[in-house]
Amino acid sequence: MSTSAVTVRCMRLLALLLGLLWAIGGWAAGFEVINAATRLEGGVYRLNAQIEYRLSKAALEALQNGVPLTVDIEMEVRRRRSWLWDETVHALTQRFQLDYHELSQQYLVSNLNSGERRAFPTRTAALGFMGRIQDFPLLDRSLLAENERYEGALRVRLDIEALPAPLRLLAYLSDDWRLTSEWRTWPL
């Protein structure tokens, strides 16, 4: 076998291994805030964000078996300080519940803050809806002091406390249920 044939074969094998590693990493469970930003409109800071939800195998199995999953989207406005820790001046949480109904084969997303419910034919569509935040009124500008630096912060997490009691114990002991994003911050 010639040297060039061996080189081509090694390159193909390397490409295959890298592809497999990428595929495995791409399917790793977790939540991620892809982007987040605010804009001031009519005296109100409005939040736009994109969130990616990758449920673990355990969470997917529970969902398919009728266990509702509750997701908390935590939003904060923090005052930046040079010498001390940043101060949280405003915090709120949007809560969503994702259910699967076997009979209708529909995924239901309930906004637990507003009571709004929407049905989706696929889990991907339901998670996509939960992952798009558009023009959300975060904070009135008049509540912030002049000449101070502020930042917005956003994090998403699966609420283990909302699981049924028998499953909650397992969730505390397993990393498969610790689905939480890092805080994503941006200047306000």
Side-chain angles (χ1 to χ4, degrees):
M1 192 179 274
S2 71
T3 313
S4 63
V6 170
T7 303
V8 168
R9 195 175 211 180
C10 287
M11 296 289 274
R12 286 183 182 164
L13 182 59
L14 181 61
L16 176 65
L17 288 174
L18 287 174
L20 287 173
L21 286 174
W22 179 81
I24 291 168
W27 287 103
F31 296 165
E32 182 180 0
V33 179
I34 304 297
N35 59 52
T38 49
R39 63 180 167 64
L40 187 59
E41 182 181 295
V44 175
Y45 284 101
R46 297 193 171 275
L47 173 65
N48 291 302
Q50 183 66 40
I51 301 164
E52 183 177 343
Y53 297 98
R54 292 181 309 275
L55 297 173
S56 65
K57 186 176 179 180
L60 284 172
E61 187 177 320
L63 179 64
Q64 291 303 117
N65 286 305
V67 175
L69 302 179
T70 302
V71 173
D72 292 340
I73 301 174
E74 300 173 342
M75 300 170 237
E76 293 183 355
V77 174
R78 302 172 181 161
R79 183 168 62 102
R80 302 288 311 208
R81 299 193 285 191
S82 300
W83 299 99
L84 298 170
W85 295 278
D86 294 343
E87 175 189 16
T88 300
V89 295
H90 180 69
L92 63 99
T93 302
Q94 278 289 337
R95 294 174 53 86
F96 288 97
Q97 187 176 59
L98 177 63
D99 287 296
Y100 177 67
H101 286 234
E102 180 70 37
L103 187 60
S104 65
Q105 296 184 346
Q106 295 274 315
Y107 290 87
L108 295 176
V109 176
S110 302
N111 182 325
L112 300 179
N113 295 66
S114 69
E116 176 189 5
R117 280 184 86 144
R118 293 194 52 185
F120 298 90
T122 66
R123 182 178 64 244
T124 302
L127 292 173
F129 171 76
M130 289 171 48
R132 276 186 310 277
I133 299 173
Q134 293 178 311
D135 290 329
F136 181 83
L138 181 62
L139 180 69
D140 194 284
R141 172 68 181 112
S142 65
L143 298 175
L144 302 178
E146 294 293 326
N147 301 321
E148 293 285 346
R149 292 182 313 146
Y150 293 95
E151 71 178 11
L154 182 69
R155 176 175 73 171
V156 185
R157 67 179 188 84
L158 180 69
D159 184 3
I160 294 174
E161 291 294 320
L163 294 170
L167 188 56
R168 195 177 316 144
L169 178 60
L170 291 173
Y172 283 128
L173 301 174
S174 170
D175 287 341
D176 288 342
W177 290 96
R178 289 192 187 95
L179 301 173
T180 302
S181 74
E182 298 292 323
W183 281 102
R184 175 75 170 230
T185 61
W186 66 94
L188 199 60

